Every structure is written in structure tokens, then in C-alpha cells.
Amino acid sequence: MKPQLLIASPISGSGKTTFALGLLRALRQRGLHAQPFKCGTDCIDTQYHALAAGHDSVNLDTWLASDGHIQTIYNKYAEQADVCVTEGTAGLFDGYNRMQGSNAHIARLLKIPVVLIVNARATAYSVAPILYGFKHFKRYVQVVGVVFNQVASPAHLTLLQEACMDAGVECLGYLPVVDDFKLPPRHSGLVLSVRQSMDEQIDRIASLIEKHVNIDKLLSLCERIFPCQHILPYTSESELDNRHIMGRKELQIAIARDPAFCLLSQENVDSLARNGQISYFSPLYGSDLPSADLVYLPGGYPELFARQLYRRKRLFGQLRDYIEGGGKLLAECGGMVLLSHSLTARQGGTAYEMANIFPFDFTMTARTNAGYRQAEYHGITLRGYESHYTETINPEENSFSAIPVYTMRGSNTSTSLFRYKNVFASLVRWYWGETEMLDLWGKSQTETDSLVFP
């Protein structure tokens, strides 16, 4: 038995992340190991979680991974924890297809209770039918209590508590209106100054939660049997851990990691670690490319640091030498931008030359391209998520070869998975927890051997 909870809300913007960060920090200050999780693909909130809890946060997404795999990784990462805190995304019942992939789906799958965060700024007793509906809409989703956000006064709180009594939902506390509190813009790198500012803000939220939320009652109401029972066929942890033994040597794997390349799934890293030794390097801060059998360039915000990256000529040369020598490399999202010909951080601005591996020029736009993506490559099914504000200017079509990428529902997209020699690059952030990344290079290279990029 251990406390396990999913923090959800009726709608987006209710304060889930604020409360999750404060609770994680408050538990940490009590000397508890709180393991954070995040529903969906968001790799920004997971960075915030890690800062608050002192432990890496793990994504749980039931479109990217099977239900059985989600159960397996939840048990794996939560095993050593005293408390498990999962932050939801969007509204409690909002999934990619009605309830499929929603927070409610995750809560039912893992058999963990839900604590609702309700923004009370513009409501009072009228919240009663909302609470009643969320508690009773699906009985298998156990809503054990509510925390109100943006409470204006003691009189306001009294009305909200009366609403809870009549709706049959436990009021666990509240957060007052704090007008000068704000998290950093989501589209920003966690450089040292931002981390220090966030650290102070998280401490502030934690102190408010200690003062106004009954943490002991919350933990008591959320105590559940652990580990969660697997209700579907699944790949066992031992099978996952032993994949690299089958005919593969221990590899040296180099991963770019810094504020410019920070959108990194913890399960992707751990999946790679099963095949060898992980080392990290920083394109932003001028690291040399480590000696490696495989290089992984994840997503991030290269556009925020375009001028600094432009100056990394030595690293660019090392990347080109590594690639032309047949080195294996996977670049996703911002990692692909680093391998492009140039990056224009804003429309009409300076075009900064990048590593010039792929003949693409990227420019930032106000339009976002986002959604679940899938691709088939020589019998390998890839699933991932695309989200960026870049526009690509492609060269002549006959100068490169592309593997089609499709939406969740199977329609074609303008996005592709590109291959040059032993390099794969895409604007999609792929999920490698259930798919073996190294299988990409286990297929015939005939179709790409003849490709030559300018």
C-alpha cells in the first residue's frame, strides 16, 4: 500500500501544474520520495516535475504505448517511491477519442484515485453540480476529493465547502488568489536563471499548500495497493531489460542534453540505456561530440539559442565526420533543425547556418503543427507526437528520399522521416519505450546508399 493520486480538473487552465509542483515540493520537504508522472506527451511539465521533486518524471500516454506497457512502466518507476503523483492533461475525460487516452483512462488503468483541481475564481456554490457530475459520471473513476484554486476570501471558501458537502465530495483545501505568481513561458529553455526563479516559485506554492491543504488527509484518501495489477497482456520488465543481449554488444550512446535540446522522454533514455552506456553532451555550451556507436539529438528549442548554436563550428564538423563515416544518428524535432542548412529564429530575421547535413532551411512561424503521428519502416511501426512552430523550405524533391508519416487516423501529413546514410531525422518526437530504436539500422540500406546531399 502507498499513496497514489492523479491530479485532474474539469477543464484546462485550472491550476493542475501549479498544484502538482507545490505538492511534489511539499512532499520532498517532508523527506518523502515522491515519484512524478505526466499524462500525455508533454516533456515541459516533466522537467518542472523533476525540479520540484528531485526525481525524473515519466510520461504515460496510451496512444503512444499499449495499456500493458503503461502499467509496466508505472510499476517500474514507482517501486521505490513513498508517494506517486500523476499530473493529468486537459480535462479529466478529454482523450484523443472521447475518453480514450484521457486522464480517466489512465486512472482506471492504474487503479489510482483522482484529486480534482477546480478554478473557483468565477464560481461559488454553483460548483456543486460540477463536482457531483464528475464524481458520478463514471463510477470506476474514483474522485476522492477536490482542491480549489483562486479562492478570494473566507466567505468564498465557505460557499465552496458547502457545495462539496451537498455534492458528496471531500474538500481537501484551497489555494488563495496570488496575482503576482506565474510560471515561466512554456516555450523557453530551462537555463540556470529560469531554474532558480522557478525553484523560488515552487517553494512558495509548497508553503501555501502546507498552510491551506490537508496533505495528510489527501495521502490517506489516496492510499492504494501497489503495484497495480496487470489487466492486459504485457511485455515483462525482464524481457525489456534483456533485449540488448540478443546479438548486440554494449554500445556507447551519446545524447544531446541542455536547454536547447531538453524535450527528452525518460522512458526513451532508459530504453536506450538497456543497450549500453549513456553519456550526455551539450551542443549549446560547446561540448565535443563524444565517441559513440549511436548519437541521439532530441527535441528542444534551438530557435531560442540560434546565435549560440551557429558558433559551434567544431561540433558541426564532428557531426559531419561522424555521419560521413557511417555513424548511426537519430534526430528528432529540434535535433533535426540542428542538422539543417539554416535556422531563421523569426520571420525576416537572420538565417543562422546549422550543421548542414540535410538541405532544409527552417524558419519560425506563428502557426503550430501538432498531433499524434505514425510511420511504417520495413515492418517497424513508429508512433510519436509532433508539435513545433517551424516552417520548412525544402530543396528539389529528387535531392532526398523520405518515408511518409501519417496522422493518428491514417491521413497523410506534410511531415516525413528522412534518411541519409545511417542518419534518421524527423520533426516528430518518437516513443521508443516499446519500439526498439536500434531496429532502424537493422534493415537494408540499399535504397539510401546512393543518396548524396549537397
Side-chain angles (χ1 to χ4, degrees):
M1 299 283 285
K2 68 175 68 178
Q4 304 166 69
L5 65 142
L6 190 149
I7 298 167
S9 61
I11 60 172
S12 292
S14 299
K16 293 188 298 293
T17 300
T18 299
F19 180 75
L21 296 178
L23 179 62
L24 288 167
R25 178 59 58 84
L27 294 172
R28 182 181 180 182
Q29 290 171 345
R30 290 183 173 203
L32 297 173
H33 174 172
Q35 174 59 54
F37 297 90
K38 174 68 182 182
C39 295
T41 62
D42 193 319
C43 287
I44 300 173
D45 284 347
T46 53
Q47 294 176 72
Y48 296 169
H49 290 174
L51 184 61
H55 301 285
D56 289 322
S57 182
V58 180
N59 293 96
L60 305 173
D61 189 293
T62 57
W63 190 83
L64 296 181
S66 67
D67 283 358
H69 181 72
I70 294 295
Q71 293 169 324
T72 300
I73 63 174
Y74 180 80
N75 286 341
K76 179 178 70 172
Y77 289 103
E79 184 175 2
Q80 302 303 319
D82 300 309
V83 184
C84 304
V85 178
T86 303
E87 183 195 343
T89 186
L92 175 58
F93 297 103
D94 295 326
Y96 58 81
N97 182 16
R98 299 177 67 178
M99 279 181 55
Q100 287 181 286
S102 67
N103 306 322
H105 182 165
I106 295 286
R108 183 187 191 187
L109 181 66
L110 302 178
K111 298 182 179 178
I112 54 178
V114 171
V115 173
L116 283 178
I117 307 299
V118 173
N119 188 338
R121 180 182 281 273
T123 189
Y125 185 76
S126 289
V127 80
I130 296 173
L131 296 176
Y132 184 87
F134 272 78
K135 183 175 177 65
H136 295 283
F137 179 60
K138 296 293 182 183
R139 294 281 185 164
Y140 54 75
V141 179
Q142 302 169 8
V143 177
V144 296
V146 60
V147 174
F148 293 104
N149 191 22
Q150 303 287 326
V151 175
S153 66
H156 187 197
L157 178 62
T158 298
L159 290 170
L160 296 169
Q161 290 171 329
E162 291 171 351
C164 285
M165 290 179 61
D166 291 348
V169 177
E170 187 81 39
C171 180
L172 296 170
Y174 71 99
L175 287 174
V177 175
V178 183
D179 289 325
D180 62 342
F181 170 79
K182 61 178 181 179
L183 293 173
R186 289 181 62 78
H187 189 71
S188 63
L190 277 182
V191 295
L192 183 59
S193 59
V194 173
R195 291 177 67 89
Q196 290 172 339
S197 172
M198 270 202 75
D199 223 24
E200 295 169 2
Q201 296 280 37
I202 292 170
D203 276 342
R204 187 179 177 195
I205 305 165
S207 66
L208 290 173
I209 288 176
E210 282 284 6
K211 183 177 181 181
H212 299 297
V213 176
N214 190 334
I215 297 177
D216 293 328
K217 178 179 279 190
L218 183 153
L219 295 179
S220 175
L221 288 173
C222 293
E223 196 164 83
R224 292 295 186 274
I225 293 172
F226 182 86
C228 75
Q229 296 178 343
H230 290 88
I231 58 175
L232 296 169
Y234 69 101
T235 303
S236 74
E237 186 177 336
S238 61
E239 287 172 335
L240 288 171
D241 285 342
N242 290 327
R243 286 186 304 184
H244 71 280
I245 295 175
M246 301 175 63
R248 287 187 174 131
K249 65 173 184 177
E250 288 285 327
L251 302 177
Q252 296 298 315
I253 301 164
I255 301 177
R257 191 172 196 175
D258 59 31
F261 301 96
C262 56
L263 301 184
L264 193 58
S265 161
Q266 184 58 38
E267 180 61 12
N268 280 2
V269 174
D270 286 356
S271 177
L272 281 173
R274 289 190 284 269
N275 293 290
Q277 184 68 38
I278 300 288
S279 64
Y280 295 98
F281 69 103
S282 170
L284 179 61
Y285 296 129
S287 296
D288 285 334
L289 183 68
S291 175
D293 301 298
L294 171 64
V295 175
Y296 181 31
L297 303 177
Y301 307 111
E303 66 275 11
L304 299 180
F305 307 97
R307 181 179 295 179
Q308 294 96 311
L309 292 171
Y310 160 74
R311 296 171 180 159
R312 306 306 176 212
K313 304 299 185 185
R314 185 164 76 173
L315 175 63
F316 291 165
Q318 292 168 348
L319 283 169
R320 286 192 291 269
D321 290 343
Y322 173 80
I323 290 166
E324 294 303 326
K328 297 179 177 66
L329 186 148
L330 176 70
E332 298 175 345
C333 195
M336 179 177 174
V337 173
L338 186 74
L339 298 185
S340 70
H341 176 259
S342 73
L343 169 61
T344 303
R346 61 181 183 276
Q347 287 183 317
T350 302
Y352 292 99
E353 187 176 350
M354 296 286 109
N356 202 19
I357 307 299
F358 286 93
F360 306 121
D361 295 287
F362 285 99
T363 186
M364 302 305 296
T365 71
R367 299 184 304 275
T368 182
N369 192 353
Y372 287 111
R373 303 289 185 255
Q374 54 188 335
E376 295 287 334
Y377 179 68
H378 291 302
I380 305 169
T381 299
L382 306 179
R383 286 197 162 193
Y385 190 78
E386 180 178 11
S387 179
H388 57 86
Y389 291 85
T390 55
E391 183 178 88
T392 313
I393 303 171
N394 290 333
E396 295 296 324
E397 291 187 7
N398 60 8
S399 66
F400 60 87
S401 177
I403 300 150
V405 171
Y406 301 92
T407 68
M408 175 183 68
R409 302 187 190 280
S411 59
N412 203 356
T413 70
S414 58
T415 301
S416 296
L417 172 63
F418 299 99
R419 182 171 186 180
Y420 169 59
K421 295 192 173 183
N422 279 327
V423 180
F424 289 90
S426 173
L427 289 173
V428 179
R429 290 186 282 117
W430 303 104
Y431 182 69
W432 301 105
E434 250 182 319
T435 304
E436 175 58 79
M437 185 191 293
L438 293 178
D439 286 347
L440 287 173
W441 292 277
K443 311 301 177 182
S444 169
Q445 297 180 28
T446 353
E447 63 185 87
T448 54
D449 279 343
S450 59
L451 289 178
V452 179
F453 286 75

